[in-house]
Amino acid sequence: MKLLRRRDIPEERYTNAFLGYGPEDSHFVVELTYNYGVESYDIGSGFGHFGIAVEDVEKTVELIKAKGGTVTREPGPVKGGKSVIAFIEDPDGYKFELIERGPTPEPLCQVMLRVGDLDRAISFYEKAFGMELLRRKDNPQYKYTIAMMGYGPEDKHAVLELTYNYGVKEYDKGNAYAQIAIGTDDVYKTAEVVRQNGGQITREPGPLPGISTKITACTDPDGWKSVFVDNLDFLKELEE
């Protein structure tokens, strides 16, 4: 990844760094946030991982080891499947799944969140967010089901991986993972659609202090937060 942008907001006492594999206006990126004076967070049990597509998982793992990185799962087939994966962990404890794939325009390809009712979650993201169910796979041997949600094919777009573990209805979300952010042409209309489909608006539509970019924030039925960002405002923000 590359550092794409860094932003300090002293009046709100935080600093952001945006990292990714391409420009923010055309790629999915990771937003790292440092809140002044806070040294540690609780990741909880609900957040799963970020996914990164690589052409050779084994070589990537060796490179990470050589640079002192932490590998928590050695390369090998995913449970109940054939895809070759590995897991690594960053210094703050966030997990990253390395997924072996061919060349892709979107290497930062997944966010995995655990949910207590998969059908409810799928319906919400379809109706409130306009996502498509790209793939659903049940793995009874290991007692879990996944659903891939997104705005385009998995090999070309970042997707949301929803995971249901049999019999688990709730998770501890901790206070570390914050949200996914999605662009929209109208944050006010988006907030209404989210409300109409069972989402809870946690921040009414309007400009951010100190930035002027309009956003709205909401939570899904499992309590996972998302932020919708005005597309034109965001492009102006990138130009500043």
Side-chain angles (χ1 to χ4, degrees):
M1 290 188 193
K2 294 182 179 179
L3 175 62
L4 304 171
R5 182 165 58 108
R6 183 170 177 150
R7 177 180 69 187
D8 188 38
I9 312 293
E11 60 268 33
E12 298 290 322
R13 297 183 57 78
Y14 72 87
T15 303
N16 296 132
F18 299 85
L19 295 99
Y21 294 97
E24 289 180 69
D25 60 353
S26 58
H27 289 74
F28 190 57
V29 303
V30 171
E31 176 185 351
L32 303 178
T33 299
Y34 169 67
N35 293 296
Y36 293 6
V38 182
E39 299 297 332
S40 64
Y41 295 90
D42 174 19
I43 293 177
S45 60
F47 172 78
H49 59 260
F50 298 103
I52 299 177
V54 299
E55 293 186 45
D56 191 320
V57 167
E58 192 165 340
K59 285 185 179 179
T60 303
V61 165
E62 289 305 313
L63 178 62
I64 290 168
K65 286 180 178 178
K67 292 181 177 292
T70 301
V71 177
T72 58
R73 184 195 190 278
E74 294 292 335
V78 66
K79 290 181 179 179
K82 297 180 180 179
S83 299
V84 176
I85 66 167
F87 276 93
I88 62 173
E89 194 172 285
D90 77 2
D92 288 289
Y94 286 100
K95 290 182 173 60
F96 288 78
E97 180 184 23
L98 304 178
I99 306 164
E100 192 159 283
R101 289 182 182 170
T104 174
E106 191 61 274
L108 185 56
C109 60
Q110 288 180 7
V111 177
M112 191 276 258
L113 302 175
R114 298 181 177 95
V115 298
D117 184 325
L118 190 58
D119 289 331
R120 179 185 66 184
I122 291 171
S123 178
F124 174 80
Y125 282 99
E126 285 179 327
K127 295 175 181 177
F129 284 28
M131 290 185 180
E132 296 179 39
L133 173 60
L134 304 171
R135 179 166 59 97
R136 179 171 179 156
K137 183 178 180 181
D138 187 37
N139 197 324
Q141 181 181 357
Y142 295 101
K143 298 184 178 180
Y144 72 88
T145 306
I146 62 171
M148 298 297 192
M149 310 292 299
Y151 296 104
E154 288 180 65
D155 60 343
K156 296 179 181 178
H157 295 78
V159 301
L160 180 61
E161 177 183 348
L162 303 175
T163 298
Y164 170 68
N165 292 299
Y166 292 9
V168 183
K169 298 297 183 183
E170 294 183 0
Y171 293 92
D172 172 20
K173 294 178 178 59
N175 62 357
Y177 171 80
Q179 66 215 15
I180 57 171
I182 301 170
T184 179
D185 291 332
D186 190 323
V187 295
Y188 300 94
K189 288 183 179 179
T190 297
E192 283 307 307
V193 172
V194 170
R195 276 198 186 97
Q196 291 167 8
N197 288 283
Q200 181 179 355
I201 301 299
T202 57
R203 189 189 192 284
E204 292 295 332
L208 279 169
I211 301 175
S212 298
T213 298
K214 292 187 290 296
I215 71 165
T216 188
C218 65
T219 54
D220 73 2
D222 287 279
W224 293 114
K225 182 181 175 183
S226 295
V227 172
F228 287 89
V229 183
D230 182 276
N231 287 323
L232 290 179
D233 286 354
F234 181 64
L235 291 176
K236 292 176 184 177
E237 181 183 329
L238 293 180
E239 293 172 357
E240 294 178 357

